[in-house]
Amino acid sequence: MLIPSDRFALNNDRYRANTANNPMAYDDKEFIDGLEWLWGKGFLSPGGPQSIADIMRDTDIRGQSVLDFGCGIGGIDQLLVTTYGAAQVTGLDVVESLIERARLDAANSGLSERIEYQLAQPGGLQFDEFSFDVIFTKDTVIHIPDKLEIYQEFYRVLRPQGVLVGSDWLGSDGTDDSDLVKEWLDFSKLDFHFCTATELRKYLQTVGFTCVETQDQNEWYRHAVREEISRVSGKNRREFVRRFGEQQADARLTSSTLKMNVVDAGHLRPTIFSARKL
């Protein structure tokens, strides 16, 4: 999820303008329920628990404090505690309804003492320096126009030897000029701000991170987006419509088809990344 703030050149009014009367908005319950139905309980983006395993493959967070930047409905946070052994996870997001849902699910799972949630406030990250051992983020920084500043904030709130790990939707050299990308974003009312893997590495190194690594997942995502389309079309469409209605089914199918064109053209490149603070 995105974090709107003055510091990051976003604000709540702009967020509301992008989501008003939009059937594919993160404050629309049917849209959220549809994403969770597609990707699994607690998940709002592709990959489910396996995607977290891929991100966390070389990162040990046992006994550590973790900030999840863009936590959504909290399924990942429960995994970070129960599967990966985090001592404490703080989830941060901009949408109050998502935070409320995440809190409820954590309570129902008996994890409220180890997982807390905060609603993002305007300005920089609302945490002191050296607050966390690890920052985790999945498919969220794409919403932030000023990449350098958000990575500076990540660096600030990490403790020495802290780790930044996650994934984001990156672009190619031609993404910003692509008519395919514009058509997809215009239809879906998405306010995305792409950078390339080369630019990402430069941002992270500029603010002081070392051991920067990236792993392109465009090929994996080509299969994932086709699975997404298959679940809202053909014989599967009836079940999606029964649960979420024709409007959601039509919007999801159109958006996913447009996105498939972007992925196939190489302009959308989901990427795993990690870096370490000195």
Side-chain angles (χ1 to χ4, degrees), residues 65-138:
S65 62
V66 180
L67 170 64
D68 179 8
F69 180 79
C71 62
I73 54 177
I76 292 172
D77 304 318
Q78 295 198 30
L79 280 178
L80 294 177
V81 167
T82 61
T83 301
Y84 299 98
Q88 186 74 29
V89 175
T90 300
L92 184 70
D93 210 295
V94 67
V95 181
E96 188 169 8
S97 60
L98 301 186
I99 291 292
E100 291 173 352
R101 162 68 189 280
R103 283 178 179 147
L104 178 62
D105 284 357
N108 289 339
S109 298
L111 296 172
S112 293
E113 291 187 1
R114 295 177 65 186
I115 304 175
E116 66 171 345
Y117 291 98
Q118 295 188 27
L119 186 66
Q121 303 298 323
L125 298 179
Q126 60 257 44
F127 305 105
D128 295 334
E129 287 185 298
F130 316 133
S131 291
F132 301 97
D133 300 307
V134 177
I135 294 177
F136 178 96
T137 182
K138 185 175 188 293

Side-chain angles (χ1 to χ4, degrees), residues 221-230 256 259-260 263:
Y221 197 55
R222 292 178 71 181
H223 297 285
V225 75
R226 281 166 171 76
E227 174 64 19
E228 183 177 324
I229 289 172
S230 74
S256 298
K259 181 170 58 176
M260 180 182 68
V263 176

Side-chain angles (χ1 to χ4, degrees), residues 103-218:
R103 283 178 179 147
L104 178 62
D105 284 357
N108 289 339
S109 298
L111 296 172
S112 293
E113 291 187 1
R114 295 177 65 186
I115 304 175
E116 66 171 345
Y117 291 98
Q118 295 188 27
L119 186 66
Q121 303 298 323
L125 298 179
Q126 60 257 44
F127 305 105
D128 295 334
E129 287 185 298
F130 316 133
S131 291
F132 301 97
D133 300 307
V134 177
I135 294 177
F136 178 96
T137 182
K138 185 175 188 293
D139 309 335
T140 298
V141 180
I142 183 67
H143 297 281
I144 306 298
D146 193 335
K147 311 295 184 187
L148 189 62
E149 192 152 23
I150 187 58
Y151 290 128
Q152 286 175 330
E153 281 290 274
F154 287 169
Y155 195 88
R156 180 182 66 81
V157 303
L158 274 174
R159 295 175 180 136
Q161 302 302 310
V163 173
L164 168 64
V165 63
S167 66
D168 199 26
W169 285 13
L170 305 187
S172 68
D173 289 335
T175 296
D176 289 340
D177 298 321
S178 168
D179 290 337
L180 293 174
V181 173
K182 184 177 186 303
E183 184 180 13
W184 169 48
L185 298 183
D186 285 349
F187 174 82
S188 302
K189 297 182 174 63
L190 293 169
D191 190 23
F192 281 178
H193 304 274
F194 294 97
C195 72
T196 66
T198 298
E199 290 168 333
L200 170 61
R201 289 190 290 268
K202 181 179 179 181
Y203 293 139
L204 293 173
Q205 291 165 350
T206 296
V207 304
F209 282 106
T210 63
C211 304
V212 177
E213 296 185 5
T214 60
Q215 178 186 342
D216 185 283
Q217 292 195 299
N218 174 268

